[in-house]
């Protein structure tokens, strides 16, 4: 036997309690990670910096109402507008998907779209190929990976909003945007399929600077005031936020729950450790008598507490990671509400930090008690 | 070696517990010399200060005043961690309740004090086996405390007290929880430690039959020596 062996032997002396307390740490951290993943998924688009440069112009009545094509000329002339493109959400069902397609398809004017895709990393040749071919499309890396798409592949979509189907050829794959999922194809192709209705879903506008963006938004709103198609322009950020406005409350809620989870976890761990040490009080006194110093006893307590918390973290956070990465198809389970459900290294870091902190905090009270108790006092508890 | 040298020299040792306004004098100006190799028994009624005296000699308690030299070192002057090292190297403890660690086997319990030394695995094993041999429990080394009888547990505790080869073995009512047969065994072992191995054994007891195993007996009464 050696000292680590001794620590282990002590930790395992009450197996049921050990199992229960490790499980409680594991379950709590699993929950914490799940909450964090959900939170990230719900709020991720909002955190994109570049999106505040981009403005979405939609029909004031509702998002479902189209906008007339003729608005393009007006928009282009508004001061502070650098680029404008049609931006029509197709919302089709990708061939093979059963109920729900996890990525959006937007009809745009490719040549006009380039300034709006400033973040996107994509070879020039692919962009040129896209612009050149009316039935060509580009897709985000995530979607390409998910469906194993290569350049030259064809993609068929069944229209859900528009009464037409798409047959597109993948000519480019981009990455580096806030959401590398979207597919973009030619508005011209959509117009042709629909019989040139002379409308677009929304306009996608790029402002000259972040400072200018709110002013541009205001100017656009005014430009079409009292016209037959009044618009509502808002930053892409606000637009997405509008979609997820209810998530904003959820964010607070999730944050609150996370704190409660951590706090409950702290109470459980602290009481477990206190109990584990209290019932070993005499033994610690004996160890002292045998020549073990205070710092060695501290090390025993800390190692046990820390070890317990870390085992819990390994099980809980590791379990969450494995589960969300490999085992569960969250997209299917949530019917597409959550797409990625990705456990990031940051979350793993958070979980392990919480566990480490717990391990240390839970050790403090027993350590103080042990430090305060003399051998004789400790021995008295047994006579 | 004809003149037995002293191992413990106690001078004017007092221990006073202050409980609010009331002061309890547990030890009152004790002076005492214990010779090396002696089997000294400390007798006296309950509350007379036997344990307190033993604890101070063994370096787990501190006096209010006076000095306690063990092999020339005044243990009352050592700080906490020096005292811990000193105990590890110089004192073996045997308690009334056997105080073995329940999750460790007999072997591992005996090995415990050696974990603080620099000894390697093989050396430790040898020492532990020797100690278990001395108390006649070599065949029980892999038993857990709960698989042993009370007498066997106390013998394991004695092996634990011996394993570091300390000069001093202190025992506080070691037979208090044992039947008379086991008590005889334990007392026999303590006696042979003093007689055959030359250890100094200090044992607290209130049982005159137990005290008969010792080479000298002293009496405490209300914190004072009475003989
Ligand atoms: N922590 C303490 N606080 C106050 N009084 C104490 C404490 N420990 C022991 N005493 C008192 O000191 C005296 C001697 O105690 P002790 O050495 O344990 O006696 P013995 O071992 O002979 O029965 C007793 O009167 C006891 O009440
Ligand atoms: Mg006593």
């Amino acid at each position: 036997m050696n000292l680590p062996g001794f620590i282990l032997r002590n930790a395992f002396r009450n197996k049921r309690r050990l199992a229960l307390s490790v499980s409680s740490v594991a379950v709590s951290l699993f929950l914490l990670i799940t909450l964090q993943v959900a939170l990230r998924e719900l709020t991720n688009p909002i955190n994109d910096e570049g999106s505040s440069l981009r403005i979405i112009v939609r029909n004031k009545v509702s998002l479902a109402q189209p906008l007339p094509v003729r608005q393009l000329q007006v928009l282009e002339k508004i001061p502070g507008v650098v680029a404008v493109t049609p931006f029509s959400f197709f919302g089709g069902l990708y061939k093979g998907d059963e109920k729900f397609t996890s990525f959006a398809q937007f009809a745009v004017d490719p040549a006009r779209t380039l300034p709006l895709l400033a973040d996107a990393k994509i070879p020039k040749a692919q962009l040129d190929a896209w612009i050149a071919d009316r039935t060509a499309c580009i897709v985000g890396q995530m979607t390409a990976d998910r469906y194993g798409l290569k350049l030259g592949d064809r993609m068929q979509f069944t229209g859900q909003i528009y009464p037409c189907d798409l047959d597109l050829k993948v000519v480019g794959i981009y990455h580096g945007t806030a959401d590398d999922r979207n597919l973009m194809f030619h508005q011209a192709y959509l117009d042709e399929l629909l019989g040139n209705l002379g409308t677009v879903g929304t306009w996608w506008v790029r402002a000259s600077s972040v400072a200018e963006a709110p002013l541009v938004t205001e100017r656009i709103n005014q430009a079409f005031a009292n016209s037959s198609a009044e618009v509502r322009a808002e930053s892409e950020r606000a637009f997405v936020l509008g979609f997820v406005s209810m998530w904003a409350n959820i964010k607070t809620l999730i944050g609150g729950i996370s704190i409660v989870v951590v706090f409950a976890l702290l109470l459980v761990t602290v009481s477990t450790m206190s109990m584990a040490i209290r019932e070993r009080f005499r033994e610690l006194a004996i160890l002292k008598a045998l020549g073990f110093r205070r710092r060695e006893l501290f090390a025993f307590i800390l190692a046990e507490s820390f070890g317990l918390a870390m085992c819990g973290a390994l099980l809980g956070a590791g379990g969450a990671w494995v589960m969300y990465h490999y085992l569960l198809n969250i997209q299917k389970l949530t019917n597409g509400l959550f797409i990625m459900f990705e456990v990031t290294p940051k979350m793993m870091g958070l979980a392990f930090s919480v566990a480490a902190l717990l391990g240390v905090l839970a050790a403090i009270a027993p350590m103080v008690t042990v430090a305060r108790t003399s051998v004789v006092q400790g021995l008295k508890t047994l006579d | 070696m004809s003149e037995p040298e002293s191992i413990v020299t106690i001078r004017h040792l007092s221990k006073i517990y202050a409980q609010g306004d009331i002061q309890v004098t547990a030890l009152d100006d004790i002076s005492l010399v214990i010779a090396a190799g002696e089997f000294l028994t400390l007798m006296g009624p309950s509350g007379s200060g036997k344990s307190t005296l033993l604890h101070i000699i063994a370096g787990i308690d501190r006096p209010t005043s006076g000095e306690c030299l063990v092999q020339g070192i005044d243990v009352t002057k050592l700080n906490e961690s020096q005292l811990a090292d000193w105990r590890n190297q110089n004192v073996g403890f045997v308690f009334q309740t056997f105080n073995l660690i329940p999750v460790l086997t007999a072997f591992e319990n005996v090995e415990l004090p050696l974990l603080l030394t620099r000894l390697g695995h093989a050396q430790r094993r040898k020492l532990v086996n020797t100690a278990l041999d001395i108390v006649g429990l070599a065949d029980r080394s892999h038993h857990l405390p709960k698989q042993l009888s009370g007498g066997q547990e106390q013998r394991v505790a004695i092996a634990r007290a011996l394993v570091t080869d300390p000069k001093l073995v202190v025992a506080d009512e070691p037979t208090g929880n044992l039947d008379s047969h086991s008590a005889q065994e334990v007392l026999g072992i303590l006696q042979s430690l003093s007689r055959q191995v030359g250890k100094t054994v200090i044992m607290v007891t209130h049982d005159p039959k137990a005290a008969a195993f010792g080479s000298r007996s002293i009496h405490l009464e209300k914190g004072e020596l009475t003989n």
Side-chain angles (χ1 to χ4, degrees):
Chain A
M1 195 184 55
N2 47 25
L3 289 178
F6 180 53
I7 292 169
L8 274 181
R9 207 66 74 74
N10 270 321
F12 279 97
R13 65 166 56 193
N14 192 333
K15 293 195 184 60
R16 184 192 301 167
R17 186 178 57 209
L18 177 72
L20 286 174
S21 41
V22 167
S23 311
S24 74
V25 175
V27 169
S28 307
L29 290 177
F30 184 91
L31 181 58
L32 183 68
I33 288 214
T34 305
L35 290 170
Q36 294 302 310
V37 171
L39 187 63
R40 174 172 177 270
E41 182 104 357
L42 292 175
T43 56
N44 196 29
I46 298 168
N47 298 326
D48 172 29
E49 258 270 311
S51 65
S52 45
L53 263 185
R54 296 187 291 264
I55 294 164
I56 303 276
V57 183
R58 64 159 169 104
N59 194 305
K60 196 173 178 180
V61 177
S62 89
L63 193 56
Q65 294 289 315
L67 291 169
V69 147
R70 62 182 144 76
Q71 288 183 335
L72 181 62
Q73 281 81 31
V74 183
L75 283 167
E76 275 181 324
K77 292 198 186 87
I78 290 173
V81 170
V82 176
V84 191
T85 173
F87 192 61
S88 306
F89 177 67
F90 182 73
L93 186 66
Y94 179 47
K95 200 178 115 188
D97 283 345
E98 280 171 9
K99 272 197 253 166
F100 184 85
T101 291
S102 67
F103 59 97
Q105 313 93 47
F106 292 105
V108 298
D109 181 340
R112 291 172 167 277
T113 304
L114 302 189
L116 285 148
L117 286 176
D119 311 341
K121 312 229 173 354
I122 177 167
K124 171 99 173 46
Q126 295 184 7
L127 280 177
D128 290 343
W130 183 35
I131 294 170
D133 181 350
R134 219 170 19 82
T135 64
C137 70
I138 59 171
V139 296
Q141 187 74 54
M142 284 181 181
T143 298
D145 288 347
R146 182 164 289 251
Y147 292 93
L149 296 168
K150 311 178 300 295
L151 296 185
D153 284 353
R154 300 207 74 88
M155 299 180 79
Q156 277 93 30
F157 292 89
T158 311
Q160 310 276 80
I161 301 170
Y162 293 95
C164 64
D165 298 341
L166 304 178
D167 183 7
L168 300 169
K169 182 175 152 197
V170 178
V171 298
I173 294 170
Y174 68 87
H175 64 97
T177 69
D179 185 354
D180 288 338
R181 275 182 284 177
N182 300 339
L183 176 149
M184 295 194 191
F185 66 102
H186 286 245
Q187 175 79 37
Y189 177 49
L190 181 62
D191 287 344
E192 177 191 304
L193 291 172
L194 296 172
N196 291 310
L197 300 174
T199 59
V200 300
T202 61
W203 298 106
W204 203 18
V205 175
R206 184 186 155 120
S208 53
S209 71
V210 174
E212 192 78 356
L215 303 172
V216 174
T217 307
E218 194 47 43
R219 284 176 206 139
I220 294 173
N221 283 332
Q222 272 162 21
F224 299 102
N226 302 316
S227 76
S228 59
E230 290 194 64
V231 301
R232 179 148 114 206
E234 53 196 355
S235 71
E236 186 180 281
R237 178 177 273 195
F239 181 74
V240 175
L241 234 160
F243 264 131
V244 297
S245 59
M246 68 169 191
W247 304 142
N249 294 330
I250 285 186
K251 190 177 175 179
T252 321
L253 184 68
I254 289 180
I257 297 174
S258 299
I259 291 170
V260 171
V261 167
V262 171
F263 190 68
L265 188 52
L266 180 68
L267 296 183
V268 168
T269 323
V270 166
S271 83
T272 303
M273 274 316 291
S274 305
M275 241 191 312
I277 298 304
R278 195 174 317 131
E279 73 181 21
R280 241 179 281 159
F281 220 66
R282 328 145 134 217
E283 287 170 39
L284 289 166
I286 299 298
L287 290 179
K288 262 192 186 174
L290 295 182
F292 284 82
R293 273 162 298 186
R294 203 179 279 181
R295 70 174 116 104
E296 276 143 352
L297 302 184
F298 284 177
F300 290 162
I301 296 170
L302 193 61
E304 192 171 330
S305 169
F306 199 77
L308 184 154
M310 279 299 150
C311 286
L314 223 54
L315 272 177
W321 191 74
V322 168
M323 187 165 270
Y324 298 139
H325 251 262
Y326 301 110
L327 300 183
L328 291 185
N329 188 340
I330 295 294
Q331 188 181 342
K332 239 184 183 156
L333 274 177
T334 61
N335 237 332
L337 172 61
F338 297 115
I339 310 298
M340 305 300 303
F341 224 73
E342 189 187 359
V343 179
T344 63
K346 210 171 135 192
M347 293 170 200
M348 293 296 274
L350 174 73
F352 276 91
S353 308
V354 166
L357 197 68
L358 280 179
V360 173
L361 287 180
I364 288 175
M367 289 202 293
V368 168
T369 327
V370 166
R372 277 201 190 145
T373 315
S374 70
V375 177
V376 175
Q377 281 172 307
L379 289 176
K380 284 261 163 66
T381 55
L382 47 95
D383 284 324
Chain B
M1 292 303 270
S2 57
E3 185 83 355
E5 51 183 316
S6 72
I7 183 164
V8 179
T9 308
I10 291 166
R11 293 193 195 113
H12 306 295
L13 203 66
S14 292
K15 175 82 179 182
I16 298 162
Y17 290 102
Q19 285 182 317
D21 294 339
I22 311 158
Q23 294 204 329
V24 179
T25 306
L27 294 176
D28 190 3
D29 196 27
I30 304 275
S31 292
L32 174 68
V33 176
I34 302 171
E38 229 183 324
F39 183 176
L40 181 76
T41 56
L42 272 174
M43 295 191 69
S46 182
S48 58
K50 308 181 294 291
S51 296
T52 307
L53 181 57
L54 193 75
H55 291 158
I56 293 171
I57 297 170
I60 56 174
D61 201 355
R62 291 180 186 281
T64 311
S65 62
E67 52 187 30
C68 175
L69 292 125
V70 181
Q71 292 183 295
I73 297 169
D74 188 349
V75 295
T76 65
K77 302 269 175 355
L78 298 178
N79 69 27
E80 279 301 314
S81 87
Q82 289 169 327
L83 208 47
D85 284 343
W86 179 83
R87 284 196 301 267
N88 183 246
Q89 288 155 21
N90 297 288
V91 187
F93 288 90
V94 182
F95 303 97
Q96 177 173 359
T97 47
F98 325 121
N99 289 322
L100 300 177
I101 309 290
V103 288
L104 302 182
T105 62
F107 183 95
E108 290 162 338
N109 265 291
V110 176
E111 192 184 15
L112 212 45
L114 295 180
L115 296 183
L116 293 170
T117 66
R118 292 174 184 281
L119 297 176
H121 191 75
Q123 287 168 296
R124 294 205 303 260
R125 170 170 294 272
K126 214 175 122 196
L127 290 174
V128 172
N129 285 330
T130 307
L132 283 170
D133 242 358
I134 291 174
V135 299
L137 286 176
D139 56 333
R140 297 295 159 94
S141 63
H142 297 296
H143 289 215
L144 290 171
K146 63 169 181 252
Q147 296 165 326
L148 298 171
S149 72
Q152 289 169 333
E153 278 194 77
Q154 193 60 301
R155 279 147 66 195
V156 172
I158 294 174
R160 182 176 66 186
L162 289 178
V163 75
T164 54
D165 195 23
K167 289 280 174 309
L168 207 56
V169 174
V170 300
D172 196 344
E173 314 220 12
T175 57
N177 280 9
L178 298 179
D179 61 84
S180 64
H181 176 73
S182 300
Q184 298 281 320
E185 272 180 352
V186 163
L187 291 165
I189 291 169
L190 291 176
Q191 188 178 52
S192 68
L193 286 181
S194 143
R195 285 195 184 161
Q196 286 157 34
V197 200
K199 302 261 177 249
T200 308
V201 180
I202 308 172
M203 177 175 79
V204 167
T205 182
H206 54 248
D207 176 7
K209 273 187 269 168
F213 281 78
S215 56
R216 176 158 72 112
S217 192
I218 57 172
H219 287 257
L220 276 172
E221 197 97 35
K222 292 181 182 159
E224 292 179 60
L225 286 174
T226 56
N227 44 346

